[in-house]
Amino acid sequence: MARLFFAFLAGGLFGAGLLVSGMTDAAKVQGWLDVFGAWDPTLAFVMGGAIVPMAIAWRIAARRRAAMLGSALPPKPSTEVDRKLVIGSVLFGVGWGLAGLCPGPSIALLGLGAPGVYIFVAAMLTGMILAPRVRSRLDKTVPAE
Amino acid sequence: MQIDWIWGLIGGGLIGTAGAMFLLVNGRIMGASGLIGGLVDGSAGNTKWERVAFLTGVVLMPILLRTLYPSGDPHLSDNLIVLAAAGLLVGVGTRLANGCTSGHGVCGMSRLSIRGFAATACYILAGGVSVLLFRHLLGVI
């Protein structure tokens, strides 16, 4: 139960942060990406503001053997920049620019009554269901090293 | 408009605090696409309810806050094809890359992960090209 409670609390803080920062406003996100139009720097402040507490948390985590509720902490990150990372991030970026939404804000908007978000989220979930097939196809076409 | 960056910083701080808590208390990385994707592609295993609890918080808090903090229009496109195509790209792309703005951007870059920096560079560049193409050249957004 504690795990669920703290997950719920973290989700609530995340949702609050997305709303307060303006990241649930597609115009602000597209404004950040629009270097040839009216550029909006807000997203850089959001990212900076989020990275500071998170960097502190990683430093604390490095000195602990387990998380406070006893489960293992995440392993060291992989350093492999592979095709899936690059191709996936480029596809994501194109969609992010097109709609001005990434996964977190699209979920935070679900209860706020904008009908367009349901179309976006339904398509996103479809993409997530299809992704393992695209991934295995990419794996098969990787040249043997 | 001029104080938007202060709200950005405050909201960013809340996002980072959420990620810090999820890491230190639950031992998990707060990546929105991974948390959602694991539920729909069946890879969640015994973390299913933890994901559901997190996402419930993400949906409920903005509803509660909106009564105190009236947020404006989310400025979504009214073109259904644009929204559907964008959603599909975001869904496939984030799962192929194993992360999005929260997982690679916030959680990855803050631990100096090379994959986090590489992914963030790719999606920001692609997003910039996307806005240039679809807004300024094609005029569909």
Side-chain angles (χ1 to χ4, degrees):
Chain A
M1 269 320 276
R3 296 193 70 82
L4 297 186
F5 174 74
F6 283 102
F8 176 73
L9 212 60
L13 271 177
F14 183 53
L18 291 170
L19 188 78
V20 168
S21 64
M23 294 299 98
T24 49
D25 182 350
K28 293 204 83 62
V29 175
Q30 287 171 327
W32 152 260
L33 294 170
D34 193 3
V35 284
F36 298 97
W39 189 61
D40 183 335
T42 308
L43 194 140
F45 288 95
V46 181
M47 190 58 96
I51 281 179
V52 173
M54 203 58 221
I56 297 169
W58 282 119
R59 298 200 75 144
I60 297 170
R63 292 200 299 264
R64 295 183 62 98
R65 261 187 283 175
M68 289 174 195
L69 293 175
S71 51
L73 285 159
K76 276 207 170 355
S78 156
T79 55
E80 192 195 358
V81 176
D82 57 5
R83 293 202 314 170
K84 279 174 286 185
L85 184 80
V86 173
I87 294 171
S89 297
V90 168
L91 294 177
F92 163 42
V94 173
W96 190 40
L98 195 52
L101 285 178
C102 52
S106 75
I107 301 299
L109 277 173
L110 282 177
L112 301 185
V117 80
Y118 301 110
I119 310 279
F120 178 90
V121 170
M124 178 177 81
L125 297 179
T126 307
M128 287 178 166
I129 293 167
L130 296 175
R133 288 181 219 180
V134 182
R135 190 187 295 138
S136 63
R137 187 157 293 190
L138 275 175
D139 282 339
K140 273 183 212 147
T141 55
V142 167
E145 286 175 50
Chain B
M1 282 306 271
Q2 287 194 333
I3 59 155
D4 279 6
W5 66 271
I6 299 176
W7 287 113
L9 213 52
I10 295 169
L14 290 171
I15 294 168
T17 305
M21 185 166 120
F22 206 40
L23 174 70
L24 294 173
V25 178
N26 290 49
R28 299 192 37 96
I29 293 178
M30 190 190 72
S33 59
L35 290 166
I36 305 161
L39 285 176
V40 295
D41 70 11
S43 63
N46 62 1
T47 62
K48 190 167 141 194
W49 292 107
E50 190 176 37
R51 292 163 192 256
V52 171
F54 181 90
L55 295 171
T56 306
V58 181
V59 175
L60 288 185
M61 192 57 111
I63 299 174
L64 282 175
L65 277 182
R66 202 160 66 155
T67 55
L68 309 167
Y69 175 92
S71 63
D73 180 357
H75 297 109
L76 299 182
S77 167
D78 46 20
N79 183 332
L80 299 185
I81 297 166
V82 163
L83 289 168
L88 205 60
L89 286 164
V90 169
V92 173
T94 53
R95 291 303 279 155
L96 273 186
N98 257 319
C100 58
T101 349
S102 49
H104 281 311
V106 176
C107 297
M109 293 201 297
S110 62
R111 71 194 300 207
L112 305 177
S113 155
I114 303 195
R115 282 172 60 86
F117 282 104
T120 304
C122 288
Y123 63 69
I124 288 181
L125 279 174
V129 172
S130 175
V131 170
L132 174 67
L133 179 68
F134 294 111
R135 175 175 284 173
H136 298 293
L137 301 177
L138 299 175
V140 294
I141 56 171

